[in-house]
Amino acid sequence: MSKLLTMRAAIAELVQDGANVALGLQLEQMIPFAAGHEIIRQKKRDLTLIGPISDILFDQLIGAGCAKEIVAAWVGNVMMGSAYNFRRAVEQDGMKVFTLTNFTVALALQAGAMGVPFLPTRTALGSDITRGNHFFHHILSPFEAKEPLWAVRALNPDVTIVHVQRADREGNAHCWGNFGVMVEGVRAGKRVIVVAEQIVEPEVITSDPNRTVIPGFLVNAVVECPYGAHPSPVQGYYKRDDAAFRQYHEHTKTKADSDAWLERWVNGVEDRRAYMNQLGGCRVEELGVKRHAYAAQTDYGY
Amino acid sequence: MTTTPAVDISKKTPPTSESRGYTLGELMVASAAREIHDGEIAFVGMRLPLLAFVVAKKTHAPNAVGLFENGVIRATPASELIYTMADPANILGATQCLDMMGVMSLLQSGRVHLGFLGAAEVDRFGNLNSTEVRGPKGVVRLPGSGGACDIASLAQRFVVLLEHRKQRLPERVSYITSPGNGDGRGWRKRVRLPRGGPSAVITTKAVLRFADDGEAYLASLHPGVELDDVLADTGWRLRVGDSMVSTAEPTAAELKAIRDYDKDGFWTK
């Protein structure tokens, strides 16, 4: 059964006001910016944003007023440093942030994926991150005497949104590059939106099952959206648009500047196609693959 | 480490990049690179350490392996300058590209020798704050831990890089994002961290190391930096190591490795 939807329909149907939304799970790669921008255009409100690090997408959602609270290890602009909407929201508006670490975000999602209430870890013993933080509970190992550990509470996002290179119409998806916590996030998600650069026939997926990171039965919607991760990179499709991250940093230092940026790049464009047109053909061409690098053939024969 | 000399407020003109023949960034990268021993497994996923890994691989540590929190494991440096660990150049030619859980599991099980960290503040006992600091206009919210707390908790040792300013080197951080030696000797054992702790803090003026009691001491001064300047710019009475030396300047091979890679000086200008 085809689950192909437009981005507009997928976000309208699957992201409700007040939802816990996990996105940006592959860290700096394949960040679902097009989906995030559609969330902004549809004026979704009171979202809890979940991710390990967020390289400016959370900042945009916060600036647009979509977020109520954040569950993350790091929110900023990776090459430039701080992200200003996040800072304004926390420093001036008292937005709630549940601070985790990268590893404990992975553990929380993995616990959710496994259907257990928590997973134990030795990280963050002695760190203030755990203080007054309901994601952490001090426990003793049941198997060794006096072995303290942190139990990290399971996270099951209402919606997990990921970007991949290719998927079939049912949501079986191939991805290559770094995964971060995407596989855990998809398994933990109550609903899943897969955004793909390309929709392919099922035979393409089953020709290389080791590259399948998402089985379609976990997926609620598949969206075909070329350049949907810009300005983050998609291996084999386009590189990182470093200038865009620099410009975002420069153009969002004040609330008024940030509003203008959102008007120009999000609310002022209808969809990703219009966004790419605004970016301009030269820039898009410049970001494209200049030298292909194909992997060695893989023989699944027997 | 014994005495803390009185602070002399008279200062000479600091040397410039031109008079030294290298930038402070280059000196820090070369110093960081030397912290990676040949054959070691190192977390190198941010800013200057991305370059330190390149330099180490091309000079004294050809068998070092780089781990990145996004799931990448590399035996060779990326072929061009990268701004983030997930840049396509860091994927191409990697040994393995999988998930965060895999590399963090290696870290937790004790397989990772060292990791590099940055922070807004590092204190007398090597504790790091990258969560929030008090500024003139109130609390400033910083991006947060990322994987820093995990690396500080679980690597066999960690190395910190930061700008040497009094505000960034307080006696005690107001918030421990990433645990160093806590309040001193035996603290990591008491809180049951499995291993590790800070081994060096490389600043823009000096290199600090840690004594058995968990406290930092001045191990080397960067060339051209006055001792009094470092002591005045540190937020506690910094002990001076008995065998304090001058930080070794970058070699020609190290500078070549840095400049071949960071051509426009984005990280090291």
Side-chain angles (χ1 to χ4, degrees):
Chain A
M1 185 192 70
S2 172
K3 297 168 187 169
L4 265 180
L5 289 178
T6 61
M7 184 67 85
R8 191 170 300 158
I11 298 300
E13 284 179 26
L14 294 166
V15 181
Q16 310 301 325
D17 285 353
N20 300 331
V21 186
L23 69 180
L25 303 180
Q26 292 123 296
L27 284 78
E28 299 96 337
Q29 234 185 40
M30 295 179 265
I31 302 168
F33 276 99
H37 290 186
E38 186 57 31
I39 288 173
I40 293 172
R41 279 191 290 270
Q42 294 190 18
K43 297 188 166 46
K44 301 293 183 183
R45 289 294 177 266
D46 298 323
L47 304 179
T48 295
L49 304 179
I50 299 167
I53 69 150
S54 184
D55 198 3
I56 80 175
L57 180 54
F58 282 12
D59 193 69
Q60 295 172 8
L61 288 157
I62 292 166
C66 303
K68 180 183 70 183
E69 58 188 31
I70 307 294
V71 179
W74 194 97
V75 180
N77 181 329
V78 172
M79 76 181 287
M80 303 305 296
S82 279
Y84 297 104
N85 288 314
F86 172 67
R87 278 194 54 187
R88 279 188 283 272
V90 179
E91 293 168 14
Q92 294 164 24
D93 308 332
M95 191 176 64
K96 179 78 186 156
V97 182
F98 290 96
T99 305
L100 302 183
T101 70
N102 275 346
F103 190 19
T104 51
V105 169
L107 289 164
L109 291 171
Q110 177 65 13
M114 294 168 74
V116 294
F118 69 89
L119 281 172
T121 181
R122 296 182 200 279
T123 195
L125 291 162
S127 166
D128 289 333
I129 280 175
T130 57
R131 222 180 262 174
N133 186 335
H134 79 179
F135 280 95
F136 294 90
H137 186 79
H138 210 248
I139 58 167
L140 293 173
S141 165
F143 300 109
E144 286 134 294
K146 293 184 184 168
E147 189 69 32
L149 298 160
W150 287 116
V152 181
R153 182 190 290 258
L155 253 177
N156 288 98
D158 294 317
V159 196
T160 296
I161 305 176
V162 299
H163 193 97
V164 299
Q165 279 94 343
R166 61 190 179 213
D168 67 20
R169 288 168 183 78
E170 294 185 20
N172 300 296
H174 273 183
C175 181
W176 57 98
N178 61 259
F179 301 151
V181 298
M182 177 250 276
V183 174
E184 296 89 337
V186 165
R187 290 179 183 148
K190 295 171 191 162
R191 294 185 291 275
V192 174
I193 300 173
V194 169
V195 185
E197 289 291 323
Q198 270 184 300
I199 302 303
V200 296
E201 294 306 316
E203 293 74 21
V204 175
I205 302 297
T206 54
S207 76
D208 193 0
N210 277 94
R211 211 169 303 285
T212 307
V213 292
I214 303 170
F217 65 81
L218 293 177
V219 176
N220 299 80
V222 181
V223 178
E224 183 174 28
C225 186
Y227 297 101
H230 175 273
S232 70
V234 176
Q235 203 78 24
Y237 286 76
Y238 43 93
K239 66 179 180 181
R240 190 174 193 271
D241 190 348
D242 300 313
F245 286 90
R246 280 200 192 101
Q247 286 157 2
Y248 183 77
H249 186 75
E250 295 306 321
H251 294 166
T252 53
K253 289 186 174 172
T254 66
K255 174 80 170 83
D257 281 354
S258 172
D259 289 345
W261 188 94
L262 286 168
E263 184 52 37
R264 173 161 165 72
W265 289 103
V266 183
N267 291 311
V269 293
E270 192 186 1
D271 55 18
R272 187 73 358 183
R273 190 185 296 267
Y275 169 100
M276 294 310 291
N277 283 340
Q278 186 165 295
L279 195 65
C282 294
R283 182 94 163 260
V284 175
E285 168 69 27
E286 154 67 19
L287 296 172
V289 175
K290 297 293 177 297
R291 209 175 49 195
H292 290 281
Y294 295 100
Q297 277 193 342
T298 305
D299 187 2
Y300 282 95
Y302 60 93
Chain B
M1 50 266 40
T2 48
T3 53
T4 305
V7 173
D8 178 359
I9 54 164
S10 67
K11 281 181 189 168
K12 292 184 199 164
T13 314
T16 62
S17 300
E18 287 72 34
S19 67
R20 278 191 306 253
Y22 54 84
T23 68
L24 269 176
E26 287 170 336
L27 178 69
M28 290 173 77
V29 167
S31 300
R34 292 175 205 144
E35 298 293 321
I36 305 172
H37 305 148
D38 197 20
E40 286 195 320
I41 316 296
F43 256 92
V44 290
M46 40 68 75
R47 297 174 180 261
L48 295 184
L50 288 169
L51 274 173
F53 177 62
V54 175
V55 174
K57 287 291 296 184
K58 290 190 173 171
T59 55
H60 66 277
N63 302 302
V65 174
L67 294 193
F68 301 83
E69 290 153 66
N70 56 358
V72 170
I73 298 180
R74 290 195 72 96
T76 58
S79 62
E80 58 182 81
L81 183 71
I82 53 177
Y83 296 104
T84 83
M85 63 178 97
D87 286 10
N90 206 41
I91 306 298
L92 178 65
T95 305
Q96 186 181 65
C97 268
L98 284 173
D99 54 359
M100 184 189 289
M101 191 66 90
V103 290
M104 286 296 183
S105 299
L106 292 171
L107 184 67
Q108 183 165 256
S109 63
R111 307 291 289 271
V112 178
H113 298 99
L114 80 158
F116 288 94
L117 303 172
E121 296 178 340
V122 58
D123 71 16
R124 184 172 187 160
F125 298 105
N127 303 299
L128 307 182
N129 176 12
S130 48
T131 301
E132 57 182 36
V133 292
R134 213 154 259 298
K137 293 183 203 156
V139 170
V140 175
R141 173 70 202 204
L142 305 166
S145 160
C149 174
D150 307 312
I151 292 168
S153 299
L154 302 170
Q156 292 179 23
R157 65 181 194 278
F158 68 85
V159 175
V160 185
L161 287 95
L162 91 167
E163 186 195 358
H164 203 124
R165 277 197 294 129
K166 197 163 192 165
Q167 300 92 309
R168 299 192 62 178
L169 291 152
E171 171 142 26
R172 298 300 295 275
V173 292
S174 54
Y175 185 104
I176 298 181
T177 308
S178 307
N181 291 325
D183 58 12
R185 192 194 303 273
W187 180 86
R188 289 183 72 93
K189 207 168 179 180
R190 278 205 306 284
V191 301
R192 298 301 182 109
L193 283 164
R195 65 187 78 81
S199 64
V201 177
I202 300 168
T203 76
T204 42
K205 296 181 187 234
V207 177
L208 316 186
R209 293 194 184 275
F210 291 83
D212 290 345
D213 64 2
E215 184 175 332
Y217 67 90
L218 182 59
S220 77
L221 269 181
H222 295 348
V225 176
E226 297 293 322
L227 174 61
D228 290 346
D229 185 22
V230 168
L231 298 176
D233 266 349
T234 303
W236 69 92
R237 283 171 67 88
L238 177 66
R239 296 185 297 185
V240 179
D242 289 336
S243 52
M244 189 190 73
V245 293
S246 180
T247 310
E249 300 191 306
T251 64
E254 286 165 342
L255 284 176
K256 182 174 186 319
I258 293 168
R259 291 169 185 172
D260 282 352
Y261 202 67
D262 191 14
K263 291 189 178 71
D264 300 325
F266 182 84
W267 297 118
T268 52
K269 202 175 271 171

